[in-house]
Amino acid sequence: MAKSYDLLIIGAGPGGYTAAIRAAKEGLKTGVIEKEKLGGTCLNRGCISTKALLHASSMFSMMQKCDEFGVSADSIAFDFKKMQQYKKNAVRDYRNEIHGTFEKLGIDLIYGTATIRRGKTVEVKSDKGKDFYQAKHIIIATGAVPRPLSIPGADLDGVWYSDRILKEDKWKFDRLTIIGGGVIGVEMATIFNALCAKVYLVERAPHLLGPMDQEVSEALKEELTRRGIRVYCGANIHKITKEEGLICHISKDGEEILLRSGCVLVAVGRQPYTDGLFGEDVNFQMKDGKLEVDSEFMTSEPEVYAVGDVTADIQLAHVAAAQATYVVEKIAKKVHTIRLSVVPNGMYAKLPVVPNCIYTEPEIATVGLTEEAALACGMKVRCGKYSMGENGRSIISREEGGFIRLIFEAYSNNLVGAQIVCPRATDMISEMATAVAAGLNAGQLMMAMRAHPTYSEGIAGAIEDAMRS
């Protein structure tokens, strides 16, 4: 007889484990099905893993410049194997924390590959055989996998995806070509450049980071170039060949360019993962390769929901977690505690309140609308910009590049967007996200004092600049 649950969750990444924890706290009998490791891609092969390596490589890079701060060292070197072990330890500790919470709340963790059958029944195959489970509600949180590169030579030895490169503990990266200038590409470029690799970054679009504000993208390109990374935007890659290493054949502005390296990292995006998920007796609607859901995240099958990368246009861990919270609150008939978007009073433009964070040097963080997006909606805006070269904390740390740019609706002076390029930007953006979600205006944002010297003082400078326009 199938074991029954109030809620079954397929996938134990940020969307899955967030939903499980919230559901258990609401008194729902909850089970989570995971075919690999608790934590999903984000913890084991994505966000946490990458940020751990970014932290380690940043420390090495900083130590190379320590003499500027009056600190001396006889020799500075890095051990890539130990860096990878540090990353593994961070992942293990984080996973153990989640596992402990599951045990404390009585959440069942079921290992195996799930297939959804009719009547909200889930078949789970594992080494032990086949089991069946039933639930009143199901949440699909199976995430995404790297999108393959379809060109000649993409299957050559040495052409890797991020999952593989995060496992490698031997240094093979004196020269590295990265195909794709999205978040994964630019963060990986930052890591290996900090470790003194010669890095080539190839992006097909006209600028890095896809739909992000062009001024932000250009600032990032300038900084990466200043650090020695060769950036090729508006470039097409035609094939990869092997000849004393790997050669990427690209073209840019009509010119053929050969990039020679020991390893090629493919980072051209991720696609929803649904392999084996649907049985023949269920009918799930798909759109553009993603699971189609309504405004409440319900799929075409009643009481079966989907959250995170398997359905979202924005593939971020905190988006998956927020959507999961929203769905569980709906199932538990609780008042929603999170806002996924907001329509300000008297305005017709729907504002996204999703912070986008890129952990380069300097960090990049954005929320809400860019100026271009606001104008495209017919919104009149005031824009304010503050250069971090004027900021006391930036001068102290010798990190004087970057800026803070704020977008206000012209009549109400409500904040509708922010772009921050500077150290700690990924922490500072939370204040801006709160302001956008709450509909705060420039006057309200200026009421709070900001400590001196801090990077966040620049927010006041950007507000003042906007109000002078």
Side-chain angles (χ1 to χ4, degrees), residues 140-441:
I140 299 169
T142 50
V145 293
R147 189 182 304 279
L149 181 66
S150 300
I151 61 168
D155 58 349
L156 288 171
D157 185 36
V159 179
W160 292 353
Y161 291 82
S162 58
D163 292 5
R164 169 71 187 277
I165 210 167
L166 287 167
K167 293 178 182 177
E168 182 58 54
D169 59 7
K170 294 180 181 178
W171 180 255
K172 301 177 180 179
F173 311 106
D174 288 332
R175 298 175 77 91
L176 173 67
T177 300
I178 299 174
I179 302 172
V183 174
I184 295 173
V186 297
E187 290 187 350
M188 287 294 185
T190 299
I191 290 170
F192 289 99
N193 171 256
L195 299 177
C196 302
K198 180 65 178 178
V199 179
Y200 305 103
L201 182 58
V202 182
E203 169 55 43
R204 184 175 59 180
H207 56 82
L208 301 174
L209 299 176
M212 190 164 284
D213 180 82
Q214 189 167 347
E215 186 175 1
V216 171
S217 299
E218 286 302 318
L220 174 62
K221 181 181 176 182
E222 289 178 11
E223 181 60 23
L224 294 179
T225 301
R226 187 187 71 79
R227 291 172 181 265
I229 298 171
R230 297 288 296 273
V231 181
Y232 298 90
C233 289
N236 290 308
I237 180 162
H238 304 290
K239 62 181 178 179
I240 303 171
T241 58
K242 195 160 190 174
E243 182 185 336
E244 296 181 1
L246 296 171
I247 301 175
C248 291
H249 299 249
I250 72 169
S251 61
K252 176 177 167 58
D253 300 327
E255 179 186 0
E256 296 295 324
I257 303 170
L258 303 182
L259 303 178
R260 188 184 298 273
S261 57
C263 182
V264 174
L265 170 63
V266 178
V268 293
R270 297 178 67 82
Q271 60 190 23
Y273 182 72
T274 58
D275 288 2
L277 182 61
F278 310 129
E280 296 177 357
D281 49 355
V282 292
N283 181 29
F284 285 87
Q285 298 298 315
M286 305 288 288
K287 184 177 181 181
D288 299 326
K290 299 185 288 289
L291 256 177
E292 192 170 9
V293 295
D294 64 16
S295 60
E296 300 289 301
F297 302 101
M298 189 183 293
T299 68
S300 51
E301 290 283 333
E303 298 307 318
V304 180
Y305 301 84
V307 300
D309 293 1
V310 73
T311 186
D313 291 322
I314 303 174
Q315 295 182 336
L316 295 169
H318 48 276
V319 171
Q323 292 173 346
T325 300
Y326 186 95
V327 170
V328 171
E329 288 172 343
K330 176 181 183 294
I331 291 170
K333 296 181 172 56
K334 299 292 182 179
V335 175
H336 289 302
T337 61
I338 194 160
R339 304 181 76 176
L340 302 174
S341 63
V342 59
V343 179
N345 292 334
M347 299 184 206
Y348 41 84
K350 191 174 184 181
L351 304 182
V353 290
V354 176
N356 286 282
C357 299
I358 298 95
Y359 294 80
T360 48
E361 291 186 8
E363 291 182 349
I364 297 172
T366 69
V367 70
L369 299 177
T370 63
E371 180 181 7
E372 292 80 4
L375 294 175
C377 294
M379 184 184 293
K380 293 186 177 181
V381 296
R382 300 174 186 265
C383 300
K385 185 177 178 180
Y386 176 84
S387 171
M388 296 305 289
E390 307 168 21
N391 178 265
R393 181 66 185 275
S394 296
I395 292 170
I396 291 169
S397 64
R398 292 291 188 266
E399 297 175 292
E400 296 150 90
F403 58 87
I404 297 174
R405 193 163 188 263
L406 303 181
I407 316 299
F408 295 90
E409 196 274 330
Y411 300 111
S412 64
N413 291 332
N414 283 2
L415 183 71
V416 296
Q419 296 97 45
I420 304 177
V421 181
C422 72
R424 305 293 183 188
T426 58
D427 295 318
M428 293 163 59
I429 201 64
S430 294
E431 178 185 351
M432 300 295 93
T434 299
V436 171
L440 299 185
N441 61 37

